[in-house]
Amino acid sequence: MILARVIGTVVATRKDDRLNGSKLQIVQPVSLGDMSPDGKPLVAIDAVGAGEGEIVMICAGSSARQTSRTKDTPCDAVIMAIIDSLDVGGRQVYSKSQAR
Amino acid sequence: MILARVIGTVVATRKDDRLNGSKLQIVQPVSLGDMSPDGKPLVAIDAVGAGEGEIVMICAGSSARQTSRTKDTPCDAVIMAIIDSLDVGGRQVYSKSQAR
Amino acid sequence: MILARVIGTVVATRKDDRLNGSKLQIVQPVSLGDMSPDGKPLVAIDAVGAGEGEIVMICAGSSARQTSRTKDTPCDAVIMAIIDSLDVGGRQVYSKSQAR
Amino acid sequence: MILARVIGTVVATRKDDRLNGSKLQIVQPVSLGDMSPDGKPLVAIDAVGAGEGEIVMICAGSSARQTSRTKDTPCDAVIMAIIDSLDVGGRQVYSKSQAR
Amino acid sequence: MILARVIGTVVATRKDDRLNGSKLQIVQPVSLGDMSPDGKPLVAIDAVGAGEGEIVMICAGSSARQTSRTKDTPCDAVIMAIIDSLDVGGRQVYSKSQAR
């Protein structure tokens, strides 16, 4: 899985029926160190109610359909966790409570 | 999922039977900011009736078979939504009604 | 899906049983504009009887097992259509009948 | 599969229910020669009880759901083995017992 | 599928139960022309009994679980054929019997 920051939303009226009720978020992958942007933004279905600015975990591919929110939907990327903290090499490199 | 612009079509008479009746569109991935071309064009099956020039959402991999149009077909990319608008950082960066 | 040109063949006597009878083609991905080589060649199972030099459509991943030829086989890339023509921006950029 | 070094952990309270009880490790892919960092770190669910600093094998995609730990979970990367040793060209390039 | 040369082996005692009895080979992807190294080495489960130095075909993703050896195992890459020969543009670019 990768980590990403929620940076925006997508609105689409005309879409496959199975997307009805799904929230489409734009997420920016981040570096697992200083949490800076790293890679291209993508669109993910939100299964946990994430808010803009939060660091989230993205599951991609067929496994993106394994949440109750995304089961049997045309979804190749899902937000399935909101990150509280990140430790690398015994040092905390991110804490949600201390993030701006 | 990624966003892309519909830029063309593919015609193929000799093909796997399960593709019969499917419209094959050429889509150009775009940047989720200024909507400029970003990455290589690909071919996707159209599940929502998109027209040339429209910004669409592409679902890839096994999840591309989760629309009623693409179920059980050899399809690794499907157009499953037409984008109305896009907000990044609280600012609208794309609106279909205002697009040229 | 991507488009590619058939450029060669692979022979393998010792292989998984489910590959018996499958034709293994070498395909060179091409640019969806001038049809020039673009990316690394790969090996695909031929489900439509393509010949060397033809432009074909490749389906990758689990969807490559959705043709009758490749069902339940260890196959991650299949040739599932032979391209007749390609239109980009209202202009025909490829026509099989006019190709050399 | 790829090899990677366990370098950290992720804590997430708010997450899809099926992740409950799963340990989320941060892993750094390594070169299969001198075992130096090679590529971007990612998050994987630990199915074998790996510790920080150990070299592990990562299985990605839908196959990441094939361990008893990850069955039916939104997981696209799993730690499914701890590496004892690695031989390349008849020479041992890594041995866990001799690693620092 | 891609072609690769078998260059080594991996030993792992602590692993998911479903890997028991599987041989883990290190394979180096090769160019489909002069068969020189091209891309990063990876680990694959051997389903055909390949030996070091042989050119093999690798199937990746969920299709890697379609051999009898890898069914229901956490495996995202499998060796499922040993290559005898390769023709590109009507010219034989590789023959196992003439390889060193």
Side-chain angles (χ1 to χ4, degrees):
Chain A
M1 285 73 70
I2 61 165
L3 300 192
R5 190 182 297 274
V6 179
I7 61 167
T9 53
V10 172
V11 176
T13 311
R14 192 159 166 189
K15 58 192 167 192
D16 186 79
D17 288 348
R18 302 185 200 188
L19 285 179
N20 287 336
S22 288
K23 184 164 192 188
L24 297 166
Q25 303 265 35
I26 304 175
V27 297
Q28 166 65 58
V30 295
S31 160
L32 299 192
D34 60 6
M35 314 310 269
S36 60
D38 187 18
K40 294 182 186 181
L42 64 153
V43 181
I45 291 181
D46 188 355
V48 290
E52 193 161 325
E54 287 190 303
I55 299 288
V56 296
M57 188 155 61
I58 305 292
C59 182
S62 65
S63 297
R65 300 195 307 270
Q66 292 287 332
T67 71
S68 49
R69 171 79 266 170
T70 52
K71 190 164 157 41
D72 298 329
T73 64
C75 166
D76 63 13
V78 68
I79 299 174
M80 33 67 112
I82 300 175
I83 304 305
D84 293 324
S85 64
L86 206 70
D87 277 60
V88 174
R91 194 171 63 86
Q92 190 177 66
V93 297
Y94 171 77
S95 166
K96 186 183 169 181
S97 59
Q98 294 169 14
R100 277 159 301 160
Chain B
M1 284 74 72
I2 61 165
L3 301 191
R5 190 182 299 273
V6 179
I7 62 167
T9 53
V10 173
V11 176
T13 311
R14 192 158 165 190
K15 59 192 167 194
D16 186 79
D17 287 349
R18 303 186 201 188
L19 284 179
N20 287 336
S22 288
K23 184 164 192 189
L24 297 166
Q25 304 265 35
I26 304 175
V27 297
Q28 166 65 57
V30 296
S31 159
L32 299 192
D34 60 5
M35 313 310 270
S36 60
D38 187 18
K40 294 182 186 180
L42 63 152
V43 180
I45 290 181
D46 187 355
V48 290
E52 192 160 324
E54 288 189 303
I55 299 288
V56 296
M57 187 154 61
I58 305 291
C59 182
S62 65
S63 296
R65 300 196 308 269
Q66 293 287 332
T67 71
S68 49
R69 172 79 264 168
T70 52
K71 191 164 157 40
D72 298 329
T73 64
C75 167
D76 62 14
V78 67
I79 299 174
M80 33 67 112
I82 300 175
I83 304 306
D84 292 324
S85 64
L86 206 70
D87 277 61
V88 174
R91 193 171 64 87
Q92 190 177 67
V93 296
Y94 171 78
S95 165
K96 185 182 170 182
S97 59
Q98 293 169 15
R100 277 159 302 161
Chain C
M1 284 74 71
I2 61 166
L3 300 191
R5 189 182 299 272
V6 179
I7 61 167
T9 53
V10 173
V11 176
T13 312
R14 192 158 163 190
K15 58 192 167 194
D16 186 79
D17 287 349
R18 304 185 199 188
L19 284 179
N20 287 337
S22 288
K23 184 163 193 191
L24 298 166
Q25 303 265 34
I26 303 175
V27 297
Q28 166 65 58
V30 295
S31 159
L32 299 192
D34 60 5
M35 314 310 270
S36 60
D38 187 17
K40 294 182 186 181
L42 63 153
V43 180
I45 290 181
D46 187 354
V48 291
E52 193 161 324
E54 288 189 304
I55 298 288
V56 296
M57 186 154 63
I58 305 292
C59 182
S62 65
S63 297
R65 300 195 307 269
Q66 293 287 330
T67 71
S68 49
R69 171 80 264 170
T70 52
K71 191 164 157 40
D72 298 330
T73 64
C75 167
D76 62 13
V78 68
I79 299 175
M80 33 66 112
I82 299 175
I83 303 306
D84 293 323
S85 64
L86 206 70
D87 277 62
V88 174
R91 194 171 64 87
Q92 190 178 67
V93 296
Y94 171 77
S95 166
K96 185 183 170 181
S97 59
Q98 294 170 15
R100 277 158 303 159
Chain D
M1 285 73 70
I2 61 165
L3 300 192
R5 190 182 299 273
V6 179
I7 61 167
T9 53
V10 172
V11 176
T13 311
R14 192 159 165 189
K15 58 193 167 193
D16 186 79
D17 288 348
R18 304 185 199 188
L19 284 179
N20 287 337
S22 288
K23 184 163 192 190
L24 298 166
Q25 303 265 35
I26 304 175
V27 297
Q28 167 64 58
V30 295
S31 160
L32 299 193
D34 60 5
M35 315 310 270
S36 60
D38 187 18
K40 294 182 186 180
L42 64 153
V43 181
I45 290 181
D46 188 354
V48 290
E52 192 161 325
E54 288 190 303
I55 299 288
V56 296
M57 186 154 63
I58 305 291
C59 182
S62 64
S63 297
R65 299 196 308 270
Q66 293 287 332
T67 71
S68 49
R69 172 80 265 170
T70 52
K71 191 164 157 42
D72 298 330
T73 63
C75 167
D76 62 14
V78 67
I79 299 175
M80 34 67 112
I82 299 176
I83 304 306
D84 293 324
S85 64
L86 206 71
D87 277 61
V88 174
R91 194 171 64 87
Q92 191 177 65
V93 296
Y94 170 76
S95 166
K96 186 183 169 181
S97 59
Q98 294 170 14
R100 279 159 300 161
Chain E
M1 285 73 71
I2 62 165
L3 300 191
R5 189 181 299 273
V6 179
I7 61 167
T9 53
V10 172
V11 176
T13 312
R14 192 158 164 190
K15 58 192 167 193
D16 186 79
D17 288 349
R18 303 185 199 188
L19 284 179
N20 287 337
S22 288
K23 183 163 193 190
L24 297 166
Q25 304 266 34
I26 304 176
V27 298
Q28 166 65 58
V30 295
S31 159
L32 299 192
D34 60 6
M35 314 310 269
S36 60
D38 187 18
K40 294 182 187 181
L42 64 152
V43 181
I45 290 181
D46 187 355
V48 290
E52 192 160 325
E54 288 190 303
I55 298 288
V56 296
M57 187 155 62
I58 304 291
C59 182
S62 65
S63 296
R65 300 195 308 270
Q66 292 287 331
T67 72
S68 48
R69 172 78 265 170
T70 52
K71 191 163 157 41
D72 298 330
T73 64
C75 166
D76 62 14
V78 67
I79 299 174
M80 34 66 112
I82 299 176
I83 304 306
D84 292 324
S85 65
L86 206 71
D87 277 62
V88 173
R91 194 171 64 88
Q92 189 177 65
V93 296
Y94 170 77
S95 166
K96 186 184 169 180
S97 59
Q98 294 170 15
R100 279 158 302 159

